[in-house]
Amino acid sequence: MYAKVTQLILIFLISPFLFGVINRIKAFFAGRKGIPLLQTYYDIFKLLRKGAVYSKTTTWIFIAGPIISLSALVCACAFIPFAGHRAFFSFEGDIVLFIYLLGLARFFTVLAALDTGSSFEGMGASREVQFAVFAEPALFLSLAALVRITGTMSLSDIFANTTINTLTTLDPAILLVIGALFIIFLTENSRIPVDDPNTHLELTMIHEVMVLDHGGIDFAYILYGVAVKFWILGTLLMSIIFRTNSGIVFFDYAVFIFGMIVLAVAVGIVESIMARLRLFKVPNLLIVALALSVLALTLTMRI
Amino acid sequence: MNFMLFSPALFILSGLCALLLHKYNKVSNCIGAFGVVTGCIAGLVSLFNAYTNPESVALSVPWSIPYGSFSIAIDAIGAIFLFPIFILSAVCAVYGLEYLRHYYGKKNTASAWFFFNLLIASMILVVISRNAVLFLIAWEMMSISSFFLVLFEGEKKEVAKAGLIYLIATHIGTLFLLVMFVLLGNEAGSFDFNRYQITAGGLLPSIIFISAVIGFGTKAGFMPMHVWLPEAHPAAPSHVSAVMSGVMLKTGIYGLLRVITFIEAPCAWWGYLLIGIGMISGILGVLFALAQHDLKRLMAYSSIENIGIISMGIGLGILGISTQNPVLAILGFAGGLLHIVNHAFFKGLLFLGAGVVLHQTGTKEIDVLGGLLKKMPVTGFCFLIGVAAICGLPPLNGFISEFLIYLASFKNILAEPSIAIVSLGCIASLALIGGLAVTCFTKVFGIIFSGEPRSSSCQNAHEPGMLMIVPLIILAFACVAIGISFPFILPKADRLLADITGISPDLIRTVLSGTMNPLIYITTAGLLLYSGLFLFAVLRRMLLKGRTIDSVPTWDCGYAKPDPRMQYTASSYVQPIVDFFKGILRTQKHGCELIEYFPDSSSFKTKTSDIFQENLFAPILAFIHRCAESLKWFQHGKLQVYILYILFTLVALFIWKL
């Protein structure tokens, strides 16, 4: 029990740190010094100290949106294993609840965006739901492939059984799932090549434009929610690729956290060397993820 | 048992009274609604009695109609359908009381009550009848009474057309049912349901099953037999649409389940067929829903989607029975049946909500509405719960039923490839449906209730009276309550599942107790979610205490004079998806070509018609029309020549007998 609570607290404490890492990497590629590693924490605390400005058009949905989204994401954390150790909650089929909690967060982010009546936010919301239509089946199928590979049905069991060892036996199905999950990870977290988290005002943005009118405490909730979501989806990836099973709990934890930092570095590198895709090409990218997971499933059907 | 008959009798009686007193609008209105509400309460009481002592609930009286007998009974399968019928009908009757007030003097509201009460009485009779003749009579009564309700505003051209399409479609369905019952009766030598027992093997069970799928599927709205649905539902008054979509469609599913119990053992391919139909109805239903601009038409397509989900659950269940896989059978049926009840509640809620919008603004065009949440906060809140529930979001009821179907599929991913592939297909389809439903219903809520009003029709909108609001609150509460309390409800379903699957109750209890663990966790997660919500809301309030809260126009990247017309519309919101699926949707676009540098007034219009109606039924009907046309020389309406035909026929018969 203590271990599980410690895991949750670690997730809640560390997740905003990863954005600092990404920014440092991008700054390094651009030849800049970069913002402090702890900038996300500073931002959140600064926002929590602010008052509020609301549009006359908005209703309580606008305020409820960030609150509900953050609760859903925090709730989803309870189902995420940490360093291959069992999550706070786990049961057969928790995959479904987990993905639908992410869906709930998205649903209210979108509604809060539409509540402003701004055409920019409508545009962002429209794109967000469009990409989700493709990303959700891809996520379901790639996790289904892992179910088929490991023979277990909860996130905790799946990631307890897929370790670096499964990788070294080089099951091609696992490699395909990793590819699919990486694409989904970038999409769901609104990173390049799907979305650009840096510029708030461009017409081409998706997530950032949806939260354009939010400020103060509401925006702090959103920012923190985004950080937690980054951790949650990153875990799906790094629990397969980067963790040890040494028996010493704190060593495992440290290795896993280091793995998440490596993931942030990888995201930073992708963002530095790649351009954003044209918007109408994004569905094609997501269909690639879908195809990879279907291919992985096909491989597991071998007798 | 007699108490059970009391409620349909009360419906019919109060309907007749309402009709007799049609001169006094208010009185007939009250009598009609009062009859429904008391009848439904009586029905719920007798349902509860039937649950506590199941032996006492059968009645069989000989009848003078050939092959007919007045046999009725309630069993667990019937009860699961009766429960939503009683609740939704009562709630809709209360709502109709105020909704129809608007039509006093313009329409004969008394006849609307008569047919409404008749519709509910006949739905109950369909579910409790145990004789094919009685069943078909009740079935026909149900179709005819709902046909007249669709024609409530029959002076409008499109309503008249909708009524005609409905009448034809429903009778084509009945035709197949007639064939099916005759086949069944021929085999059993009787038309009583308890004599129907078809042994497996041979072609007969499959022919019966196919007729049932076509006949009952037409009522339920399986694609491609759904074409009447998007026409008829928008035409009927809103409380009638709610009943039609929430429970009348389900009588089709009921018939299908009943027929399956007649057959000793279902074949595996029936399960595959139903799953296939479910996937097609589900995905295409929601795709067409999101391309619609008419709120009630959109809801009708979304009903097709939900019928698809139900069909997937039932298909998995049948597959489970035929492959002797009790977990698949029990979870599949449990998910499908729960979705029947859930859909009655949230779709009822959404149709009633759509009725409020229509009542207050006079339009159901999504694109001219906006900002209604400020004008009707309670309606908007209830509508939001309905929207979240229909998207299957936790912790509401829609999630639980979809979860059971997901769980059935996930448990069978590890099975042999043929079942694993079907299960994966179900998972992928449900995920796709989920994503599309979120798009569709964020559009509905976001465009209608959020933002600024897009036209003057929203100006005078305000919260309706208590009689229309309380039904919404009751249904919204049901959605929340089922979502949280389901672990306490599921163990009570063992007898129901035993009746349908034919699996021993002990095994069912074992499987169900294995399912309890996930469900308890889901409830826990739901409570966690609510407490998180509370916590973050309180934290926000505490932090904001004493700080300034400003109110300004939406920023919109610095526009000085924002105009409601600048907002995103429903069409623009779904445009990327509609364009992506243009091969299926075939949306027609009109206008919007900007040629000059300073274009003046311009217009843009899109329309998504039903592909099955345009490309499948229209050509067939045109062909029939052409054939009929060529018979015109024979059938021209000249009486003298007809008499000549008779003479010729008689002479011919005379010569033949000679």
Side-chain angles (χ1 to χ4, degrees):
Chain A
M1 192 64 194
Y2 287 123
K4 286 178 178 177
V5 175
T6 320
Q7 289 174 18
L8 269 182
I9 292 172
L10 279 176
I11 296 177
F12 293 146
L13 283 182
I14 302 171
S15 42
F17 177 72
L18 300 178
F19 285 159
V21 176
I22 297 177
N23 278 325
R24 268 295 164 87
I25 298 295
K26 286 168 82 171
F28 170 77
F29 270 84
R32 289 184 280 111
K33 199 168 148 227
I35 49 179
L37 275 172
L38 299 180
Q39 186 64 43
T40 319
Y41 297 96
Y42 302 151
D43 285 347
I44 290 172
F45 283 113
K46 183 184 71 189
L47 287 165
L48 284 177
R49 285 199 302 273
K50 293 211 174 216
V53 182
Y54 292 112
S55 155
K56 286 177 187 130
T57 310
T58 56
T59 59
W60 59 269
I61 300 264
F62 185 75
I63 299 165
I67 294 176
I68 298 175
S69 301
L70 183 58
S71 330
L73 291 168
V74 165
C75 206
C77 282
F79 295 93
I80 280 294
F82 191 89
H85 294 260
R86 297 196 74 81
F88 198 75
F89 288 143
S90 77
F91 60 87
E92 280 196 328
D94 58 1
I95 297 169
V96 182
L97 181 61
F98 167 73
I99 297 179
Y100 271 69
L101 281 171
L102 298 186
L104 179 68
R106 173 173 19 247
F107 184 83
F108 277 97
T109 312
V110 164
L111 280 189
L114 289 174
D115 202 36
T116 60
S118 147
S119 51
F120 290 118
E121 302 206 18
M123 212 175 279
S126 164
R127 290 166 183 164
E128 172 87 6
V129 290
Q130 184 207 3
F131 298 157
V133 163
F134 303 103
E136 245 174 45
L139 184 53
F140 259 112
L141 285 185
S142 43
L143 289 178
L146 289 178
V147 169
R148 180 112 185 143
I149 292 168
T150 58
T152 53
M153 290 218 340
S154 72
L155 288 168
S156 293
D157 289 327
I158 288 174
F159 292 113
N161 290 329
T162 43
T163 52
I164 200 89
N165 297 334
T166 341
L167 255 186
T168 45
T169 53
L170 270 186
D171 185 351
I174 288 256
L175 293 179
L176 291 171
V177 169
I178 290 173
L181 282 176
F182 191 60
I183 295 176
I184 296 162
F185 167 76
L186 291 176
T187 312
E188 289 277 329
N189 286 305
S190 329
R191 314 303 304 194
I192 285 177
V194 174
D195 189 359
D196 191 341
N198 266 2
T199 42
H200 284 239
L201 297 183
E202 287 285 322
L203 274 179
T204 48
M205 299 306 114
I206 303 160
H207 186 264
E208 289 304 320
V209 82
M210 281 203 297
V211 297
L212 207 55
D213 263 79
H214 285 284
I217 298 165
D218 302 325
F219 194 62
Y221 283 178
I222 290 173
L223 207 59
Y224 189 62
V226 169
V228 168
K229 191 176 179 185
F230 188 89
W231 181 279
I232 290 173
L233 288 161
T235 304
L236 298 186
L237 207 55
M238 295 323 273
S239 298
I240 310 176
I241 309 176
F242 206 101
R243 67 179 178 82
T244 52
N245 206 350
S246 60
I248 309 162
V249 175
F250 286 101
F251 178 72
D252 286 352
Y253 282 7
V255 169
F256 183 69
I257 292 169
F258 181 70
M260 293 301 284
I261 293 172
V262 170
L263 178 68
V265 170
V267 170
I269 294 173
V270 168
E271 297 211 344
S272 305
I273 61 173
M274 267 188 84
R276 205 177 47 74
L277 280 176
R278 293 162 80 189
L279 269 174
F280 56 88
K281 297 270 186 205
V282 174
N284 299 2
L285 180 72
L286 291 171
I287 286 172
V288 169
L290 201 59
L292 290 177
S293 38
V294 171
L295 220 56
L297 276 165
T298 320
L299 286 175
T300 62
M301 293 289 166
R302 286 172 307 181
I303 304 154
Chain B
M1 187 61 225
N2 300 334
F3 209 46
M4 192 68 202
L5 274 178
F6 176 68
S7 65
L10 197 63
F11 294 141
I12 296 175
L13 200 69
S14 60
L16 280 173
C17 284
L19 202 59
L20 283 176
L21 295 168
H22 69 99
K23 290 239 172 71
Y24 313 97
N25 276 322
K26 261 190 186 156
V27 179
S28 75
N29 223 357
C30 289
I31 289 178
F34 182 74
V36 175
V37 173
T38 44
C40 287
I41 292 170
L44 280 174
V45 170
S46 60
L47 206 59
F48 182 72
N49 277 342
Y51 182 81
T52 44
N53 46 337
E55 282 78 30
S56 68
V57 285
L59 175 80
S60 189
V61 181
W63 209 11
S64 59
I65 292 181
Y67 305 110
S69 70
F70 197 85
S71 320
I72 54 172
I74 306 176
D75 60 357
I77 305 176
I80 192 81
F81 287 87
L82 285 175
F83 176 67
I85 290 179
F86 286 132
I87 291 188
L88 193 63
S89 306
V91 164
C92 288
V94 174
Y95 177 96
L97 203 55
E98 188 175 326
Y99 190 80
L100 288 177
R101 219 176 264 168
H102 179 62
Y103 294 96
Y104 280 174
K106 295 180 220 160
K107 289 268 153 208
N108 187 352
T109 50
S111 73
W113 280 111
F114 174 69
F115 289 119
F116 185 72
N117 294 15
L118 197 62
L119 170 66
I120 296 162
S122 52
M123 280 194 296
I124 292 165
L125 215 52
V126 161
V127 175
I128 62 177
S129 76
R130 287 294 176 277
N131 176 278
V133 178
L134 182 64
F135 181 91
L136 282 173
I137 291 174
W139 186 262
E140 200 56 12
M141 259 165 64
M142 185 175 84
S143 302
I144 300 287
S145 52
S146 51
F147 164 71
F148 282 110
L149 286 168
V150 169
L151 280 187
F152 183 62
E153 293 182 274
E155 73 281 353
K156 290 183 188 161
K157 209 175 156 196
E158 71 271 11
V159 173
K161 185 183 154 221
L164 190 66
I165 291 179
Y166 175 45
L167 194 67
I168 296 173
T170 184
H171 281 94
I172 294 176
T174 312
L175 182 73
F176 281 91
L177 294 187
L178 209 60
V179 171
M180 182 196 78
F181 279 122
V182 167
L183 284 174
L184 276 167
N186 205 18
E187 186 75 9
S190 160
F191 282 87
D192 284 335
F193 282 0
N194 53 13
R195 301 272 195 82
Y196 282 170
Q197 200 50 256
I198 303 294
T199 44
L203 212 55
L204 186 68
S206 295
I207 294 175
I208 288 171
F209 180 74
I210 291 289
S211 321
V213 167
I214 299 176
F216 288 121
T218 310
K219 182 63 79 184
F222 286 169
M223 280 210 174
M225 290 91 78
H226 68 283
V227 284
W228 65 272
L229 238 141
E231 303 293 332
H233 285 210
S238 296
H239 64 295
V240 178
S241 320
V243 168
M244 279 174 70
S245 177
V247 287
M248 195 189 80
L249 298 186
K250 312 298 164 37
T251 57
I253 302 285
Y254 164 78
L256 200 59
L257 287 177
R258 181 63 72 196
V259 168
I260 289 168
T261 61
F262 296 153
I263 298 167
E264 199 184 19
C267 307
W269 70 266
W270 300 358
Y272 291 123
L273 179 74
L274 280 183
I275 293 170
I277 290 176
M279 287 174 183
I280 292 173
S281 307
I283 295 170
L284 292 188
V286 68
L287 257 183
F288 276 96
L290 68 84
Q292 302 302 320
H293 307 305
D294 178 319
L295 178 57
K296 285 175 80 179
R297 208 178 154 83
L298 181 149
M299 297 285 185
Y301 272 113
S302 135
S303 297
I304 300 172
E305 167 222 328
N306 282 282
I307 288 288
I309 295 175
I310 293 168
S311 167
M312 258 191 251
I314 292 175
L316 284 173
I318 291 180
L319 194 62
I321 297 179
S322 68
T323 54
Q324 262 112 45
N325 182 342
V327 175
L328 185 58
I330 291 167
L331 288 179
F333 275 116
L337 291 171
L338 179 64
H339 206 70
I340 289 171
V341 178
N342 286 345
H343 181 242
F345 289 147
F346 54 63
K347 188 47 73 60
L349 170 59
L350 289 177
F351 260 118
L352 295 186
V356 173
V357 171
L358 175 62
H359 195 257
Q360 295 297 326
T361 63
T363 179
K364 41 191 180 156
E365 278 294 310
I366 297 172
D367 271 337
V368 301
L369 297 165
L372 288 182
L373 189 59
K374 279 187 182 150
K375 310 204 164 168
M376 10 196 204
V378 182
T379 308
F381 181 73
C382 295
F383 201 86
L384 178 65
I385 289 179
V387 160
I390 204 168
C391 291
L393 295 176
L396 299 172
N397 61 349
F399 175 73
I400 310 282
S401 43
E402 287 191 26
F403 175 79
L404 289 174
I405 301 175
Y406 269 120
L407 192 63
S409 310
F410 265 106
K411 288 211 174 192
N412 284 284
I413 290 183
L414 302 172
E416 71 261 37
S418 64
I419 291 187
I421 288 171
V422 172
S423 306
L424 287 168
C426 281
I427 292 172
S429 319
L430 280 173
L432 185 61
I433 292 171
L436 290 170
V438 165
T439 312
C440 178
F441 284 97
T442 47
K443 157 182 142 171
V444 169
F445 189 84
I447 304 294
I448 295 180
F449 285 95
S450 296
E452 292 288 338
R454 286 177 177 75
S455 74
S456 56
S457 56
C458 310
Q459 255 161 16
N460 299 323
H462 55 86
E463 204 77 84
M466 276 325 242
L467 291 178
M468 275 167 91
I469 288 187
V470 171
L472 294 178
I473 296 174
I474 292 174
L475 291 175
F477 177 76
C479 292
V480 176
I482 296 179
I484 283 295
S485 64
F486 193 67
F488 306 105
I489 304 173
L490 184 71
K492 309 259 189 301
D494 52 349
R495 208 192 308 150
L496 167 68
L497 290 165
D499 277 2
I500 294 180
T501 56
I503 297 170
S504 73
D506 290 331
L507 185 55
I508 287 182
R509 272 190 280 277
T510 324
V511 174
L512 287 187
S513 63
T515 318
M516 286 305 280
N517 187 38
L519 289 173
I520 288 170
Y521 271 118
I522 288 175
T523 301
T524 317
L527 294 175
L528 198 70
L529 200 64
Y530 286 128
S531 42
L533 217 111
F534 179 73
L535 201 75
F536 290 126
V538 168
L539 180 67
R540 173 183 168 276
R541 173 154 289 196
M542 273 167 51
L543 287 172
L544 271 182
K545 199 175 271 174
R547 297 184 193 166
T548 49
I549 298 176
D550 280 338
S551 193
V552 293
T554 296
W555 183 45
D556 230 358
C557 297
Y559 274 131
K561 286 203 168 174
D563 184 281
R565 289 183 59 204
M566 286 175 178
Q567 293 174 96
Y568 238 46
T569 61
S571 328
S572 38
Y573 184 68
V574 294
Q575 181 267 339
I577 295 182
V578 168
D579 266 11
F580 188 86
F581 290 99
K582 61 175 179 273
I584 300 169
L585 290 169
R586 307 203 180 169
T587 302
Q588 298 145 10
K589 297 181 181 175
H590 305 284
C592 188
E593 274 183 38
L594 302 180
I595 319 157
E596 294 160 51
Y597 290 117
F598 299 102
D600 40 50
S601 66
S602 172
S603 71
F604 179 66
K605 213 164 91 180
T606 62
K607 186 170 185 292
T608 309
S609 345
D610 198 292
I611 40 162
F612 290 102
Q613 195 174 346
E614 302 255 300
N615 302 317
L616 180 67
F617 292 104
I620 293 176
L621 290 175
F623 175 72
I624 293 174
H625 194 243
R626 267 203 308 282
C627 296
E629 197 87 343
S630 60
L631 284 175
K632 228 178 180 174
W633 63 272
F634 187 71
Q635 182 81 288
H636 38 56
K638 285 182 190 148
L639 191 63
Q640 297 89 332
V641 185
Y642 284 2
I643 295 173
L644 194 68
Y645 291 163
I646 294 173
L647 183 72
F648 280 148
T649 317
L650 284 175
V651 171
L653 286 173
F654 185 66
I655 293 170
W656 181 53
K657 259 298 171 200
L658 215 60

